[in-house]
């Protein structure tokens, strides 16, 4: 079985089982598990339905150098989780950890709480009665009736099938009176030198390079349906005893990385800036620079795509990012110093063993977003607006990755990166997570 997949259609079991519980959680992300555990602590009957094979989402899928902002804002069972992780390293708590350690802890929490976890459960239908979800059906035939349903997927699939109002992409700044919404061109993760976008440099008639969009116009702050790029947070190592060299994809196409070649010829960027150490020999490696592991423009159909379409997008991201790592470590067009340093690294052999060292979770940075009675905007983030029905706190900076790559004045530009630090943690309105 190919374990590096999003959609395991061959693992869907046919059944006519019907169950009734107090709380049904759809989505085995870390948030989904914590929601299920809390419901169990409140003496409620719970089922956790996961469209996949591994619990934890990004917490076990490579995001190991945690984006915490101000950790004073983290409490409840989430803080307990980080303290439990810390105990595995002899620390009071830790926000940096190996994926296999996080997986062991997540699985242990599920067992300790006696959570009824059902894997390979893909949503098929939703029955709504008087504006409340009465029951859901899964591919294969399982039917679940519950008093309360929680959508803990990254995509908001249950929310959408229930008819809840949502949006995708970027609103124009004017919609909520913002500054950092809509289209943005900023210097971070941007081309710091002029890169020609055409297959034959200086010849527009030759067509555009791969991964460069056809757009020639740009209106600052205008809205569109584009979403920030996805990638895999790869656990790398420079320990030769544990290092697996980056594999060359069977479908590797050198022309896919011509944009990277041209940028590397002239950039002064540090391409290793986000090799964040989680131990002395391992990293959580994220995107960095104008051309990086972020597969800009390849995910637009993910939020509303069906499971098969998402599987195609998932595999395209696998091929692109595996190819990029191989390119950086092997292609003679990569500057010698960068290529030699990159080749010192590889996949950690003791992580994600069943997928060849590759994370099982694609980083779904955003997808559908509910439009509730209250919409959290940059005014909440900056403190210029403050809700009176807080259900939690947020503390990380305003952070969006690039959403598009365009041609502007004859050169390539990235559109969408936003990184704005915040003065303090801010409250999240209960109304923002409840359908209007």
């Amino acid at each position: 079985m190919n374990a590096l997949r999003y959609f395991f259609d061959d693992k869907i079991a046919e059944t006519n089982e019907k169950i009734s519980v107090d709380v049904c959680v759809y989505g085995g992300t870390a948030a989904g598990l914590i929601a299920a555990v809390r419901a169990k602590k409140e003496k409620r009957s719970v089922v956790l339905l996961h469209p996949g094979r591994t619990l934890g989402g990004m917490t076990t899928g490579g995001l190991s150098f945690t984006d915490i902002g101000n950790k004073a804002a983290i409490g409840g069972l989430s803080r307990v989780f980080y303290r439990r992780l810390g105990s595995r390293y002899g620390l009071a708590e830790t926000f940096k950890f190996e994926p296999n350690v996080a997986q062991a802890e997540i699985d242990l929490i599920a067992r300790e709480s006696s959570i009824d976890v059902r894997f390979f459960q893909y949503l098929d239908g939703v029955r709504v009665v008087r504006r409340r979800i009465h029951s859901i059906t899964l591919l294969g035939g399982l039917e679940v009736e519950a008093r309360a349903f929680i959508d803990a997927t990254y995509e908001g699939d249950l929310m959408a099938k229930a008819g809840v109002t949502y949006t995708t992409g970027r609103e124009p700044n004017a919609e909520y009176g913002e500054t950092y919404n809509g289209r943005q061109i900023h210097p971070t993760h941007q081309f710091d030198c002029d890169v020609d976008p055409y297959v034959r440099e200086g010849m527009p008639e030759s067509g555009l390079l791969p991964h460069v969009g056809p757009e020639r116009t740009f209106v600052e702050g205008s809205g569109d349906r584009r979403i920030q790029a996805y990638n895999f947070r790869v656990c790398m190592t420079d320990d030769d005893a544990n290092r697996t060299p980056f594999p060359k994809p069977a479908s590797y196409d050198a022309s896919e990385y011509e944009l990277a070649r041209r940028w590397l010829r002239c950039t002064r960027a540090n391409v290793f800036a986000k090799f964040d150490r989680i131990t002395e020999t391992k990293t959580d490696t994220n995107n960095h620079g104008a051309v990086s592991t972020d597969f800009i423009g390849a995910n637009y159909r993910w939020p509303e795509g069906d499971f098969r379409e998402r599987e195609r997008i998932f595999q395209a991201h696998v091929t692109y990012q595996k190819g990029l790592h191989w390119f950086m470590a092997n292609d003679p067009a990569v500057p010698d110093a960068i290529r030699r340093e990159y080749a010192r690294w590889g996949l950690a052999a003791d992580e994600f063993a069943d997928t060849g060292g590759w994370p099982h979770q694609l980083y779904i940075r955003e997808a559908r977003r509910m439009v509730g009675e209250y919409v959290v905007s940059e005014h909440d983030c900056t403190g210029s607006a403050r809700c009176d029905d807080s259900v939690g706190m947020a503390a990380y900076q305003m952070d969006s990755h690039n959403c598009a790559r365009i041609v502007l004045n004859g050169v390539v530009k990235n559109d969408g990166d936003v990184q704005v630090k915040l003065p303090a943690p801010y409250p999240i309105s209960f109304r923002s997570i409840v359908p209007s």
Side-chain angles (χ1 to χ4, degrees), residues 69-318:
N70 185 335
K71 67 180 181 181
I74 303 172
L77 292 176
S78 295
R79 195 61 174 263
V80 171
F81 171 72
Y82 292 113
R83 288 171 178 164
R84 289 179 60 147
L85 283 178
S87 70
R88 290 174 176 261
Y89 292 98
L91 303 170
E93 65 182 8
T94 186
F95 297 93
K96 296 189 294 184
F97 45 84
E98 295 156 283
N100 75 86
V101 174
Q103 189 69 66
E105 192 61 49
I106 285 284
D107 291 342
L108 177 59
I109 290 171
R111 291 195 302 272
E112 287 177 344
S113 302
S114 300
I115 302 296
D116 180 7
V117 180
R118 311 284 184 101
F119 293 98
F120 309 114
Q121 299 297 328
Y122 300 92
L123 187 64
D124 188 28
V126 176
R127 183 185 175 205
V128 177
V129 178
R130 298 188 186 93
R131 300 188 73 240
R132 293 183 66 89
I133 300 174
H134 176 271
S135 60
I136 65 174
T137 54
L138 292 304
L139 294 179
L142 177 65
E143 182 176 339
V144 181
E145 181 180 321
R147 295 176 61 193
F149 288 84
I150 297 173
D151 188 339
T153 64
Y154 293 128
E155 296 84 3
D157 287 342
L158 176 56
M159 172 187 75
K161 279 191 176 291
V164 174
T165 301
Y166 68 86
T167 189
T168 61
R170 301 179 282 186
E171 299 95 345
N173 270 327
E175 186 162 343
Y176 295 108
E178 296 176 290
T179 304
Y180 294 105
N181 210 336
R183 303 187 63 186
Q184 309 274 330
I185 291 182
H186 291 297
T188 47
H189 303 297
Q190 186 58 266
F191 289 88
D192 54 334
C193 50
D194 289 347
V195 173
D196 189 288
Y198 304 112
V199 173
R200 294 187 181 87
E201 295 187 60
M203 298 177 63
E205 64 274 16
S206 66
L208 292 167
L209 291 174
H211 317 307
V212 178
E215 196 165 358
R216 302 292 197 280
T217 60
F218 174 79
V219 179
E220 182 87 16
S222 60
D224 59 25
R225 298 297 298 276
R226 297 181 176 105
I227 57 175
Q228 57 180 315
Y230 299 167
N231 72 343
F232 289 94
R233 298 283 286 259
V234 175
C235 184
M236 294 184 182
T237 184
D238 56 357
D239 176 5
D240 288 341
N242 190 36
R243 180 177 64 87
T244 300
F246 298 116
K248 184 179 183 180
S251 58
Y252 179 79
D253 180 352
S255 68
E256 292 287 298
Y257 306 99
E258 178 59 26
L259 185 65
R261 287 188 188 90
R262 295 182 187 181
W263 177 61
L264 289 169
R265 282 195 319 230
C266 62
T267 186
R268 295 186 177 183
N270 176 11
V271 300
F272 303 101
K274 286 302 291 178
F275 281 43
D276 292 315
R277 295 267 184 183
I278 52 175
T279 69
E280 289 185 0
T281 61
K282 290 181 182 178
T283 69
D284 165 1
T285 305
N286 199 5
N287 72 295
H288 188 78
V291 183
S292 71
T293 57
D294 273 2
F295 197 5
I296 299 172
N299 60 347
Y300 297 154
R301 296 179 65 86
W302 182 281
E304 297 180 303
D306 62 21
F307 298 119
R308 294 190 186 281
E309 181 162 29
R310 288 179 184 168
E311 174 64 20
R312 289 191 291 271
I313 296 170
F314 181 96
Q315 295 302 334
H317 278 73
V318 171

Side-chain angles (χ1 to χ4, degrees), residues 317-392:
H317 278 73
V318 171
T319 299
Y320 166 77
Q321 191 167 334
K322 281 188 175 182
L324 179 66
H325 290 311
W326 190 90
F327 163 81
M328 294 293 291
N330 293 278
D331 195 294
V334 176
D336 289 346
I338 294 175
R339 188 176 68 253
R340 286 195 300 269
E341 175 62 17
Y342 221 100
R344 287 200 317 106
W345 295 87
L347 304 178
D350 62 348
E351 300 288 352
F352 309 112
D354 57 350
T355 51
W358 198 261
H360 53 77
Q361 176 67 56
L362 181 61
Y363 193 177
I364 311 302
R365 289 190 169 98
E366 68 167 301
R368 299 183 181 99
R369 304 193 312 279
M370 180 192 299
V371 180
E373 293 180 9
Y374 189 98
V375 174
V376 176
S377 72
E378 74 177 53
H379 305 297
D380 296 271
C381 301
T382 60
S384 61
R386 194 171 183 87
C387 67
D388 58 4
D389 60 342
S390 174
V391 72

